[in-house]
Amino acid sequence: MMILLISVITIFIIILLALGIAMSPAMVFILTGIIPYVVFVILLAGFAHRIITWGRTPVPFRIPTTCGQEKSLPWIKANPVENPAGALGVIARMVQEIFLFRSLFRNTDVKIIGGRPVYDGAKWLWFFGLLFHVSLLIIVLRHLRFFTEPVIPCVGMLSALDGFLEIGVPALYLSDVALLAGFTFLFLRRVIIPQLRYISLFTDYFALLLIAGVAVTGLLMRHFFPADLNALKTLTMSWITFAPVVPEGIGVLFSMHLCFVFFLIAWLPFSKLAHAGGIFMSPMRNMANNNRSLRHVNPWNAPVKVHTYAEYEDEFRDKMKAVGLPVEKE
Amino acid sequence: MKNKKWGLIILGLVIFVLAITFPFWYGKGRSMPPPVLSLDTPVINALTVKRCVEDTAFMRASHMKFLNAWRDEAVREGVRLYKAKDGRTFEKSLTGTCLQCHSNKEQFCDRCHNYVDAKPSCYNCHVIPGEVKK
């Protein structure tokens, strides 16, 4: 509970910071003219650094986790995706993992029913996890309307599809609802279940709260305290032409939204959120299970001084013949 | 084996960098001036006090909610007249009131809507006076 409290306090510190920034024109200049570039460079460099560090980490053993029959004798039916034997199988497996969260789908739960332990699938985490990630992706893609001019047609189509229920004006986006639903589940899960609360760290709560902060300020700007989208897009478009047009003043909500987003982006490569790249680098998923069909030599193996039988025979052939021992080579 | 691994890692990083720098190379560094709204219509030019139904700041920020409320009140409740804060009375009508002054939809409504990719559903039903169907 202490950790949760610290993360909430950190969120409040960011809110206060945003309020302070909105008050002072000099700070507004820093927030909208300088910080975007700093944050972008941190994201690029930090992410590349993280990936290269992972790439350089030695993986001495072939350690794929397998969930199906390995490729074996021809009459034994193999499972080429859950236990991939080659590159194609690995790709199929990674695609499943990245787009459908295959391994979360395997999550099970145990309950004591009638004095006996009963194991059953527990899909809630998978469902809300997927919902959360997909809606985040859609929201990020929808924001491209602020960064492209003319707006890419497929972004418009995505927004239209996302808001097709046309609830209210401006239309309520389904992905926003889905994101909040996903957040609520993932957050309450950590707070309510004692085992999860015990293993939850600052980074777990803070990542969720930060994304919730971005979402809530964004929703407030869309539905309750409308932001001036023209001024807003003028600012975002000026970022990508490297000539920031700093507005004279920015709304408190927009200031908070920006602070949360910049914090999130800058923190991303150094936090658990780097699993966005880490998923590709997981040796247990991205290796083919060809332990038995190919020889893998641990690159760490120290050079061992060996004396083979052939060499032994070469050395002692005369003596062996002299005492009548059989030799392989005359 | 080692080169293949690094090849894939570099490929992945290049895709990542291309994806997140997308707006930069999509815009190709062109500068995009924000839209300028035209108030140059015969009806507006003839006005002595150039004031919309409510003040400009309010209209700019909240016209969508405002028009939505108008629609609900006029169509569902039959309340067809709107009394503005300064006492004037307007008919709650997009075609009859708004578009009388702002008869230049393409130079007024559409400029901002296209710029921020807002797709109001007004014109799904309403006709634009004088607009030729393409």
Short mmCIF file of all heavy atoms in Angstrom, two decimals, chain A residues 268-314:
data_model
loop_
_atom_site.label_atom_id
_atom_site.label_comp_id
_atom_site.label_asym_id
_atom_site.label_seq_id
_atom_site.Cartn_x
_atom_site.Cartn_y
_atom_site.Cartn_z
N LEU A 268 9.75 5.45 -20.75
CA LEU A 268 9.44 4.18 -21.39
C LEU A 268 10.65 3.26 -21.58
O LEU A 268 10.60 2.09 -21.18
CB LEU A 268 8.74 4.46 -22.72
CG LEU A 268 8.03 3.30 -23.42
CD1 LEU A 268 6.77 3.82 -24.09
CD2 LEU A 268 8.89 2.63 -24.45
N PRO A 269 11.77 3.75 -22.14
CA PRO A 269 12.87 2.83 -22.40
C PRO A 269 13.53 2.28 -21.13
O PRO A 269 14.21 1.28 -21.19
CB PRO A 269 13.89 3.68 -23.18
CG PRO A 269 13.19 4.90 -23.56
CD PRO A 269 12.08 5.11 -22.61
N PHE A 270 13.31 2.93 -20.00
CA PHE A 270 14.02 2.54 -18.79
C PHE A 270 13.12 1.80 -17.81
O PHE A 270 13.51 1.52 -16.69
CB PHE A 270 14.62 3.78 -18.12
CG PHE A 270 15.36 4.63 -19.09
CD1 PHE A 270 14.78 5.78 -19.62
CD2 PHE A 270 16.60 4.25 -19.54
CE1 PHE A 270 15.45 6.54 -20.54
CE2 PHE A 270 17.28 5.00 -20.48
CZ PHE A 270 16.70 6.15 -20.98
N SER A 271 11.88 1.54 -18.23
CA SER A 271 10.93 0.94 -17.31
C SER A 271 10.47 -0.40 -17.85
O SER A 271 10.92 -0.86 -18.89
CB SER A 271 9.74 1.86 -17.13
OG SER A 271 9.06 1.96 -18.37
N LYS A 272 9.51 -0.99 -17.16
CA LYS A 272 8.94 -2.25 -17.63
C LYS A 272 8.22 -2.07 -18.96
O LYS A 272 7.94 -3.04 -19.65
CB LYS A 272 7.97 -2.81 -16.58
CG LYS A 272 6.74 -1.94 -16.39
CD LYS A 272 5.79 -2.48 -15.35
CE LYS A 272 4.90 -3.56 -15.90
NZ LYS A 272 3.75 -3.86 -15.03
N LEU A 273 7.93 -0.81 -19.30
CA LEU A 273 7.21 -0.57 -20.57
C LEU A 273 8.08 -0.92 -21.77
O LEU A 273 7.59 -1.04 -22.88
CB LEU A 273 6.77 0.89 -20.66
CG LEU A 273 5.79 1.31 -19.57
CD1 LEU A 273 5.44 2.77 -19.72
CD2 LEU A 273 4.54 0.47 -19.62
N ALA A 274 9.39 -1.12 -21.54
CA ALA A 274 10.26 -1.52 -22.64
C ALA A 274 9.96 -2.94 -23.09
O ALA A 274 10.60 -3.45 -24.00
CB ALA A 274 11.72 -1.39 -22.23
N HIS A 275 8.97 -3.58 -22.47
CA HIS A 275 8.58 -4.91 -22.96
C HIS A 275 8.06 -4.82 -24.39
O HIS A 275 7.96 -5.83 -25.08
CB HIS A 275 7.54 -5.57 -22.05
CG HIS A 275 6.17 -4.93 -22.06
ND1 HIS A 275 5.76 -4.02 -21.14
CD2 HIS A 275 5.12 -5.09 -22.88
CE1 HIS A 275 4.53 -3.64 -21.39
NE2 HIS A 275 4.10 -4.26 -22.44
N ALA A 276 7.75 -3.58 -24.83
CA ALA A 276 7.35 -3.38 -26.23
C ALA A 276 8.44 -3.89 -27.17
O ALA A 276 8.15 -4.48 -28.20
CB ALA A 276 7.08 -1.91 -26.48
N GLY A 277 9.71 -3.66 -26.80
CA GLY A 277 10.81 -4.19 -27.60
C GLY A 277 11.28 -5.53 -27.06
O GLY A 277 11.74 -6.40 -27.79
N GLY A 278 11.12 -5.70 -25.74
CA GLY A 278 11.61 -6.90 -25.09
C GLY A 278 10.95 -8.17 -25.58
O GLY A 278 11.58 -9.22 -25.64
N ILE A 279 9.69 -8.05 -25.98
CA ILE A 279 8.96 -9.25 -26.42
C ILE A 279 9.66 -9.89 -27.62
O ILE A 279 9.68 -11.11 -27.76
CB ILE A 279 7.49 -8.91 -26.73
CG1 ILE A 279 6.69 -10.15 -27.10
CG2 ILE A 279 7.35 -7.92 -27.86
CD1 ILE A 279 5.76 -10.59 -26.05
N PHE A 280 10.29 -9.03 -28.46
CA PHE A 280 10.97 -9.58 -29.63
C PHE A 280 12.28 -10.27 -29.22
O PHE A 280 12.82 -11.05 -29.98
CB PHE A 280 11.31 -8.45 -30.61
CG PHE A 280 10.09 -7.81 -31.22
CD1 PHE A 280 9.52 -6.69 -30.65
CD2 PHE A 280 9.52 -8.35 -32.36
CE1 PHE A 280 8.40 -6.11 -31.21
CE2 PHE A 280 8.41 -7.77 -32.92
CZ PHE A 280 7.84 -6.65 -32.35
N MET A 281 12.79 -9.88 -28.06
CA MET A 281 14.12 -10.34 -27.67
C MET A 281 14.04 -11.49 -26.66
O MET A 281 15.04 -11.80 -26.03
CB MET A 281 14.90 -9.18 -27.05
CG MET A 281 14.93 -7.92 -27.86
SD MET A 281 15.89 -8.07 -29.34
CE MET A 281 17.52 -8.04 -28.65
N SER A 282 12.86 -12.08 -26.44
CA SER A 282 12.74 -13.13 -25.44
C SER A 282 13.27 -14.45 -25.98
O SER A 282 12.67 -15.01 -26.89
CB SER A 282 11.28 -13.31 -25.03
OG SER A 282 10.61 -12.11 -25.05
N PRO A 283 14.39 -14.95 -25.43
CA PRO A 283 14.97 -16.18 -25.95
C PRO A 283 14.03 -17.37 -25.82
O PRO A 283 14.09 -18.30 -26.62
CB PRO A 283 16.22 -16.38 -25.10
CG PRO A 283 16.34 -15.22 -24.23
CD PRO A 283 15.12 -14.39 -24.31
N MET A 284 13.16 -17.35 -24.81
CA MET A 284 12.28 -18.50 -24.63
C MET A 284 11.21 -18.56 -25.72
O MET A 284 10.55 -19.57 -25.88
CB MET A 284 11.61 -18.44 -23.27
CG MET A 284 12.57 -18.73 -22.16
SD MET A 284 11.74 -18.56 -20.60
CE MET A 284 12.94 -19.29 -19.53
N ARG A 285 11.01 -17.46 -26.43
CA ARG A 285 9.99 -17.43 -27.48
C ARG A 285 10.61 -17.42 -28.86
O ARG A 285 10.01 -17.94 -29.79
CB ARG A 285 9.13 -16.17 -27.37
CG ARG A 285 8.43 -16.00 -26.08
CD ARG A 285 7.11 -16.73 -26.07
NE ARG A 285 6.92 -17.24 -24.73
CZ ARG A 285 6.18 -18.26 -24.41
NH1 ARG A 285 5.52 -18.91 -25.33
NH2 ARG A 285 6.07 -18.67 -23.18
N ASN A 286 11.76 -16.73 -29.01
CA ASN A 286 12.24 -16.49 -30.38
C ASN A 286 13.28 -17.50 -30.86
O ASN A 286 13.94 -17.29 -31.84
CB ASN A 286 12.76 -15.05 -30.52
CG ASN A 286 14.01 -14.80 -29.72
OD1 ASN A 286 14.65 -15.73 -29.25
ND2 ASN A 286 14.37 -13.54 -29.57
N MET A 287 13.40 -18.62 -30.14
CA MET A 287 14.34 -19.64 -30.59
C MET A 287 13.58 -20.85 -31.09
O MET A 287 12.54 -21.21 -30.54
CB MET A 287 15.24 -20.06 -29.44
CG MET A 287 16.26 -19.03 -29.04
SD MET A 287 17.25 -19.68 -27.70
CE MET A 287 18.77 -18.88 -28.05
N ALA A 288 14.13 -21.48 -32.12
CA ALA A 288 13.55 -22.74 -32.59
C ALA A 288 14.00 -23.85 -31.66
O ALA A 288 15.12 -23.85 -31.16
CB ALA A 288 13.99 -23.01 -34.01
N ASN A 289 13.11 -24.80 -31.43
CA ASN A 289 13.48 -25.92 -30.58
C ASN A 289 14.14 -27.00 -31.45
O ASN A 289 13.51 -28.01 -31.79
CB ASN A 289 12.26 -26.47 -29.86
CG ASN A 289 12.63 -27.62 -28.94
OD1 ASN A 289 13.76 -27.72 -28.51
ND2 ASN A 289 11.68 -28.48 -28.67
N ASN A 290 15.41 -26.77 -31.81
CA ASN A 290 16.13 -27.76 -32.62
C ASN A 290 17.31 -28.31 -31.82
O ASN A 290 18.35 -28.64 -32.38
CB ASN A 290 16.57 -27.17 -33.95
CG ASN A 290 17.29 -25.84 -33.75
OD1 ASN A 290 17.66 -25.50 -32.63
ND2 ASN A 290 17.50 -25.10 -34.83
N ASN A 291 17.10 -28.42 -30.51
CA ASN A 291 18.16 -28.89 -29.62
C ASN A 291 18.69 -30.25 -30.03
O ASN A 291 19.85 -30.56 -29.82
CB ASN A 291 17.63 -29.01 -28.19
CG ASN A 291 17.32 -27.67 -27.61
OD1 ASN A 291 17.38 -26.68 -28.33
ND2 ASN A 291 16.99 -27.61 -26.35
N ARG A 292 17.79 -31.10 -30.57
CA ARG A 292 18.19 -32.47 -30.85
C ARG A 292 18.63 -32.66 -32.29
O ARG A 292 19.37 -33.57 -32.59
CB ARG A 292 17.04 -33.42 -30.54
CG ARG A 292 16.72 -33.37 -29.06
CD ARG A 292 15.68 -34.37 -28.70
NE ARG A 292 15.38 -34.23 -27.28
CZ ARG A 292 14.56 -35.01 -26.64
NH1 ARG A 292 13.95 -35.99 -27.29
NH2 ARG A 292 14.33 -34.83 -25.36
N SER A 293 18.13 -31.79 -33.20
CA SER A 293 18.49 -31.99 -34.60
C SER A 293 19.78 -31.26 -34.96
O SER A 293 20.43 -31.61 -35.93
CB SER A 293 17.35 -31.54 -35.50
OG SER A 293 16.97 -30.22 -35.19
N LEU A 294 20.14 -30.23 -34.19
CA LEU A 294 21.38 -29.51 -34.47
C LEU A 294 22.26 -29.53 -33.23
O LEU A 294 21.77 -29.60 -32.11
CB LEU A 294 21.07 -28.05 -34.85
CG LEU A 294 20.40 -27.79 -36.19
CD1 LEU A 294 20.15 -26.30 -36.33
CD2 LEU A 294 21.27 -28.28 -37.33
N ARG A 295 23.57 -29.45 -33.47
CA ARG A 295 24.48 -29.39 -32.32
C ARG A 295 24.71 -27.92 -31.97
O ARG A 295 25.08 -27.11 -32.83
CB ARG A 295 25.79 -30.06 -32.67
CG ARG A 295 26.79 -30.01 -31.54
CD ARG A 295 28.00 -30.85 -31.88
NE ARG A 295 29.15 -30.49 -31.08
CZ ARG A 295 29.34 -30.93 -29.82
NH1 ARG A 295 28.47 -31.76 -29.28
NH2 ARG A 295 30.40 -30.56 -29.14
N HIS A 296 24.44 -27.57 -30.72
CA HIS A 296 24.70 -26.20 -30.25
C HIS A 296 25.84 -26.26 -29.27
O HIS A 296 25.80 -27.01 -28.30
CB HIS A 296 23.46 -25.64 -29.57
CG HIS A 296 22.29 -25.52 -30.47
ND1 HIS A 296 22.16 -24.53 -31.40
CD2 HIS A 296 21.20 -26.32 -30.62
CE1 HIS A 296 21.03 -24.70 -32.06
NE2 HIS A 296 20.43 -25.78 -31.62
N VAL A 297 26.87 -25.49 -29.51
CA VAL A 297 28.01 -25.47 -28.61
C VAL A 297 27.96 -24.18 -27.81
O VAL A 297 27.80 -23.09 -28.38
CB VAL A 297 29.32 -25.58 -29.40
CG1 VAL A 297 30.51 -25.55 -28.45
CG2 VAL A 297 29.34 -26.85 -30.22
N ASN A 298 28.04 -24.32 -26.52
CA ASN A 298 28.07 -23.15 -25.66
C ASN A 298 29.32 -22.33 -25.99
O ASN A 298 30.44 -22.81 -25.84
CB ASN A 298 28.11 -23.61 -24.21
CG ASN A 298 28.08 -22.44 -23.25
OD1 ASN A 298 28.17 -21.29 -23.67
ND2 ASN A 298 27.94 -22.73 -21.97
N PRO A 299 29.15 -21.09 -26.44
CA PRO A 299 30.32 -20.29 -26.80
C PRO A 299 31.21 -20.00 -25.60
O PRO A 299 32.34 -19.54 -25.76
CB PRO A 299 29.70 -19.00 -27.37
CG PRO A 299 28.30 -18.97 -26.85
CD PRO A 299 27.89 -20.39 -26.66
N TRP A 300 30.68 -20.22 -24.39
CA TRP A 300 31.47 -19.95 -23.19
C TRP A 300 32.39 -21.11 -22.83
O TRP A 300 33.21 -20.99 -21.93
CB TRP A 300 30.55 -19.71 -21.99
CG TRP A 300 29.81 -18.43 -22.04
CD1 TRP A 300 29.92 -17.46 -22.99
CD2 TRP A 300 28.85 -17.99 -21.11
NE1 TRP A 300 29.07 -16.44 -22.70
CE2 TRP A 300 28.39 -16.74 -21.55
CE3 TRP A 300 28.31 -18.52 -19.94
CZ2 TRP A 300 27.43 -16.02 -20.86
CZ3 TRP A 300 27.36 -17.81 -19.27
CH2 TRP A 300 26.92 -16.56 -19.72
N ASN A 301 32.19 -22.26 -23.47
CA ASN A 301 32.97 -23.43 -23.08
C ASN A 301 34.46 -23.11 -23.13
O ASN A 301 34.97 -22.61 -24.12
CB ASN A 301 32.68 -24.59 -24.03
CG ASN A 301 31.38 -25.30 -23.68
OD1 ASN A 301 30.80 -25.05 -22.61
ND2 ASN A 301 30.92 -26.17 -24.56
N ALA A 302 35.16 -23.45 -22.03
CA ALA A 302 36.61 -23.23 -22.01
C ALA A 302 37.25 -24.28 -22.92
O ALA A 302 36.73 -25.38 -23.04
CB ALA A 302 37.11 -23.40 -20.58
N PRO A 303 38.34 -23.90 -23.59
CA PRO A 303 39.00 -24.91 -24.44
C PRO A 303 39.54 -26.05 -23.57
O PRO A 303 40.29 -25.81 -22.62
CB PRO A 303 40.12 -24.11 -25.11
CG PRO A 303 40.30 -22.89 -24.29
CD PRO A 303 39.00 -22.61 -23.60
N VAL A 304 39.08 -27.25 -23.86
CA VAL A 304 39.50 -28.40 -23.05
C VAL A 304 40.60 -29.14 -23.82
O VAL A 304 40.47 -29.37 -25.03
CB VAL A 304 38.30 -29.34 -22.80
CG1 VAL A 304 38.74 -30.57 -22.00
CG2 VAL A 304 37.20 -28.61 -22.07
N LYS A 305 41.67 -29.51 -23.09
CA LYS A 305 42.75 -30.23 -23.73
C LYS A 305 42.34 -31.70 -23.80
O LYS A 305 42.10 -32.33 -22.77
CB LYS A 305 44.03 -30.06 -22.90
CG LYS A 305 45.27 -30.12 -23.73
CD LYS A 305 46.49 -29.79 -22.88
CE LYS A 305 47.75 -30.23 -23.59
NZ LYS A 305 48.90 -30.19 -22.67
N VAL A 306 42.20 -32.19 -25.05
CA VAL A 306 41.75 -33.58 -25.17
C VAL A 306 42.85 -34.40 -25.85
O VAL A 306 43.71 -33.88 -26.55
CB VAL A 306 40.44 -33.69 -25.97
CG1 VAL A 306 39.28 -33.15 -25.19
CG2 VAL A 306 40.57 -33.01 -27.32
N HIS A 307 42.78 -35.68 -25.62
CA HIS A 307 43.72 -36.61 -26.23
C HIS A 307 42.88 -37.74 -26.79
O HIS A 307 42.44 -38.64 -26.07
CB HIS A 307 44.69 -37.12 -25.15
CG HIS A 307 45.89 -37.81 -25.71
ND1 HIS A 307 46.31 -39.04 -25.28
CD2 HIS A 307 46.77 -37.43 -26.66
CE1 HIS A 307 47.38 -39.41 -25.95
NE2 HIS A 307 47.70 -38.43 -26.79
N THR A 308 42.60 -37.71 -28.11
CA THR A 308 41.65 -38.67 -28.68
C THR A 308 42.30 -40.03 -28.80
O THR A 308 43.53 -40.18 -28.71
CB THR A 308 41.18 -38.20 -30.07
OG1 THR A 308 42.32 -38.16 -30.90
CG2 THR A 308 40.51 -36.85 -30.00
N TYR A 309 41.44 -41.03 -29.01
CA TYR A 309 41.98 -42.39 -29.15
C TYR A 309 42.91 -42.48 -30.36
O TYR A 309 43.95 -43.15 -30.29
CB TYR A 309 40.86 -43.42 -29.27
CG TYR A 309 41.41 -44.80 -29.43
CD1 TYR A 309 41.98 -45.46 -28.34
CD2 TYR A 309 41.43 -45.43 -30.67
CE1 TYR A 309 42.56 -46.70 -28.49
CE2 TYR A 309 42.00 -46.68 -30.83
CZ TYR A 309 42.58 -47.32 -29.72
OH TYR A 309 43.15 -48.54 -29.88
N ALA A 310 42.56 -41.79 -31.45
CA ALA A 310 43.40 -41.83 -32.65
C ALA A 310 44.81 -41.33 -32.34
O ALA A 310 45.81 -41.95 -32.74
CB ALA A 310 42.77 -41.00 -33.75
N GLU A 311 44.87 -40.24 -31.56
CA GLU A 311 46.18 -39.70 -31.19
C GLU A 311 46.93 -40.67 -30.26
O GLU A 311 48.14 -40.87 -30.38
CB GLU A 311 46.00 -38.35 -30.47
CG GLU A 311 45.60 -37.22 -31.40
CD GLU A 311 45.07 -36.00 -30.65
OE1 GLU A 311 45.04 -36.03 -29.40
OE2 GLU A 311 44.69 -35.04 -31.32
N TYR A 312 46.16 -41.29 -29.34
CA TYR A 312 46.73 -42.25 -28.38
C TYR A 312 47.36 -43.41 -29.13
O TYR A 312 48.49 -43.83 -28.85
CB TYR A 312 45.59 -42.71 -27.47
CG TYR A 312 45.92 -43.85 -26.55
CD1 TYR A 312 46.47 -43.60 -25.28
CD2 TYR A 312 45.68 -45.17 -26.92
CE1 TYR A 312 46.76 -44.64 -24.42
CE2 TYR A 312 45.96 -46.22 -26.06
CZ TYR A 312 46.50 -45.95 -24.81
OH TYR A 312 46.79 -46.97 -23.96
N GLU A 313 46.58 -43.88 -30.16
CA GLU A 313 47.09 -45.00 -30.92
C GLU A 313 48.34 -44.62 -31.71
O GLU A 313 49.31 -45.37 -31.76
CB GLU A 313 46.01 -45.52 -31.87
CG GLU A 313 46.14 -47.01 -32.16
CD GLU A 313 45.12 -47.46 -33.17
OE1 GLU A 313 45.33 -47.22 -34.38
OE2 GLU A 313 44.12 -48.04 -32.75
N ASP A 314 48.32 -43.41 -32.30
CA ASP A 314 49.49 -42.93 -33.04
C ASP A 314 50.72 -42.95 -32.14
O ASP A 314 51.82 -43.31 -32.54
CB ASP A 314 49.26 -41.50 -33.55
CG ASP A 314 48.33 -41.49 -34.74
OD1 ASP A 314 48.13 -42.56 -35.33
OD2 ASP A 314 47.78 -40.40 -35.05
#
